[in-house]
């Protein structure tokens, strides 16, 4: 499926060579030949050609975006998990197993972020399956390292190195693409650091829906004071809600995440007269379709909610 473009081009080229004897027999046999060639190519055209892109799968759209930035024209990149899913609990349907088997390389976050999808990838992959958090500094097993732009840069370097491993001819392309993108991430990181530092120190406190922001908090000088759902897929207990209510007292804003039902957080916040804004973690939202946009969205929501310039 991912190979349709390449197959189409090969099919077209071959048709001009092989179709001459059929010309006088009319248009229908010609179409049959074209279709047969296209199907044969799509089924496994292993002839090397410069139109054969590296087929990349990444668990989250966020990592797919990073891989697209590095892979450029040499890679066809898709995300395994659909937009807006709760990635912690999402179960990959059996219909995606064929895509997994066809991919040349698969990028996962690891640390059980995409537990079931990761298992399917490891079981069915024909190429390498790379965990992007491998060898990075992990806090308490928390998987959300990419929400620190400095650590996101480490993901990008790993993607560059692994793409180069499976496609050495692309080395200079991957290096140039990664260098440009890493520069963009460095500017983003500095901008976030500078902007979030304008929030008054006493208000640099985070109440979020799920426990996704430890790395962001550590990098940009915020303190996590409460998390509504301590574990993925878990509903807060009455005691959790009591503790949440205490924690919210005096914070300027709390943050929900669009992929989760935040009714409890909204209720407690309303009781305390605290405004509720959004932070993005594992998934995009309307108007946000890249990692850099996601981080800028978060920066703006933090400043809007907690004060700052
Ligand atoms: Zn998460």
């Amino acid at each position: 499926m991912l190979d349709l473009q390449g197959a189409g081009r090969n099919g077209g080229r071959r048709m001009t060579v092989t179709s001459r004897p059929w010309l006088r027999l009319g248009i229908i046999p010609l179409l049959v030949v074209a279709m047969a060639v296209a199907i044969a190519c799509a089924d496994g055209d292993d002839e090397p050609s410069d139109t054969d892109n590296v087929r990349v799968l990444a668990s989250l759209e966020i990592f797919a975006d990073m891989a697209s930035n590095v892979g450029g024209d040499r890679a066809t990149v898709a995300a395994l998990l659909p937009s807006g899913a709760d990635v912690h609990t999402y179960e990959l349907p059996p219909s995606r197993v064929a895509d997994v088997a066809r991919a040349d390389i698969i990028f996962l976050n690891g640390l059980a972020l995409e537990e079931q999808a990761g298992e399917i990838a490891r079981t069915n992959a024909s190429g390498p399956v790379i965990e992007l958090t491998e060898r990075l500094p992990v806090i308490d097993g928390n998987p959300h390292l990419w929400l620190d732009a400095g650590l996101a840069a480490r993901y990008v370097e790993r993607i560059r190195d692994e793409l180069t491993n499976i496609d050495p001819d692309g080395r200079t392309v991957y290096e140039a693409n990664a260098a440009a993108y890493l520069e963009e991430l460095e500017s983003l990181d500095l901008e976030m650091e500078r902007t979030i530092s304008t929030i008054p120190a006493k208000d640099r406190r985070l109440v979020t829906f799920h426990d996704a922001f430890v790395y962001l908090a550590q990098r940009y000088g915020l303190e996590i004071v409460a998390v509504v759902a301590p574990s993925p897929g878990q509903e807060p207990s009455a005691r959790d809600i009591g503790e949440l209510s205490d924690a919210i007292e005096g914070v300027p804003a709390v943050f929900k995440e669009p992929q989760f039902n935040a009714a409890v957080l909204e209720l407690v916040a309303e009781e305390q007269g605290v405004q509720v804004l959004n932070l993005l973690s594992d998934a995009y939202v309307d108007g946000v379709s890249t990692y850099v946009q996601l981080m800028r969205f978060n920066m703006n929501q933090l400043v809007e909610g907690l004060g700052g310039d």
Side-chain angles (χ1 to χ4, degrees), residues 6-308:
R9 271 185 229 160
N10 283 344
R13 195 170 62 223
R14 276 193 212 174
M15 200 178 73
T16 59
V17 178
T18 58
S19 64
R20 285 186 183 279
W22 295 93
L23 271 178
R24 76 191 96 140
L25 296 175
I27 192 77
I28 290 168
L30 195 69
L31 276 176
V32 170
V33 168
M35 284 167 68
V37 170
I39 288 164
C41 291
D43 252 349
D45 178 10
D46 50 16
E47 271 179 82
S49 114
D50 57 11
T51 60
D52 283 341
N53 271 6
V54 176
R55 286 166 296 201
V56 180
L57 275 180
S59 56
L60 272 57
E61 289 177 304
I62 295 164
F63 313 142
D65 173 48
M66 293 174 179
S68 294
N69 272 284
V70 178
D73 295 341
R74 290 185 76 87
T76 301
V77 183
L80 257 181
L81 274 56
S83 199
D86 173 358
V87 302
H88 295 275
T89 55
Y90 181 78
E91 301 211 346
L92 205 65
S95 58
R96 297 305 304 277
V97 169
D99 292 337
V100 167
R102 262 198 300 266
D104 295 315
I105 188 164
I106 300 177
F107 292 111
L108 304 175
N109 184 76
L111 300 171
L113 174 76
E114 59 284 86
E115 203 161 13
Q116 186 262 6
E119 201 47 49
I120 289 192
R122 283 182 206 93
T123 310
N124 297 285
S126 42
V129 178
I130 307 298
E131 292 198 356
L132 294 168
T133 55
E134 205 178 34
R135 298 191 292 271
L136 295 183
V138 174
I139 302 171
D140 298 330
N142 192 306
H144 305 86
L145 281 75
W146 67 90
L147 293 170
D148 165 344
L151 291 174
R154 303 290 88 75
Y155 282 39
V156 170
E157 289 165 356
R158 184 76 191 276
I159 290 168
R160 174 197 63 200
D161 295 346
E162 297 296 343
L163 285 179
T164 305
N165 277 343
I166 60 159
D167 176 27
D169 291 347
R171 175 183 292 277
T172 51
V173 172
Y174 300 138
E175 282 179 355
N177 288 349
Y181 187 51
L182 287 167
E183 209 168 285
E184 195 182 344
L185 293 188
E186 200 185 332
S187 308
L188 170 76
D189 188 35
L190 291 172
E191 187 187 346
M192 288 192 68
E193 189 182 15
R194 206 171 42 234
T195 305
I196 293 170
S197 74
T198 65
I199 297 169
K202 69 172 176 54
D203 293 329
R204 272 183 234 149
R205 289 183 294 162
L206 272 187
V207 177
T208 66
F209 190 83
H210 92 298
D211 194 11
F213 299 95
V214 288
Y215 300 94
L216 181 142
Q218 176 185 255
R219 173 71 188 93
Y220 304 110
L222 297 150
E223 184 198 352
I224 309 265
V225 293
V227 170
V228 181
S231 304
Q234 195 185 320
E235 288 296 316
S237 66
R239 201 177 130 201
D240 292 334
I241 294 170
E243 284 175 6
L244 178 67
S245 189
D246 292 344
I248 282 180
E249 218 178 326
V251 301
V254 298
F255 298 91
K256 62 189 174 85
E257 293 160 73
Q259 76 271 35
F260 297 109
N261 176 355
V264 168
L265 181 60
E266 282 168 330
L267 197 71
V268 176
E270 197 185 330
E271 277 172 14
Q272 301 266 2
V274 171
Q275 63 171 330
V276 182
L277 284 88
N278 277 296
L279 281 181
L280 305 180
S281 51
D282 311 333
Y284 293 149
V285 70
D286 278 351
V288 172
S289 57
T290 69
Y291 169 73
V292 171
Q293 288 172 2
L294 176 146
M295 292 297 273
R296 286 233 161 79
F297 179 97
N298 284 346
M299 180 179 76
N300 293 334
Q301 291 283 292
L302 287 167
V303 168
E304 188 183 330
L306 304 178

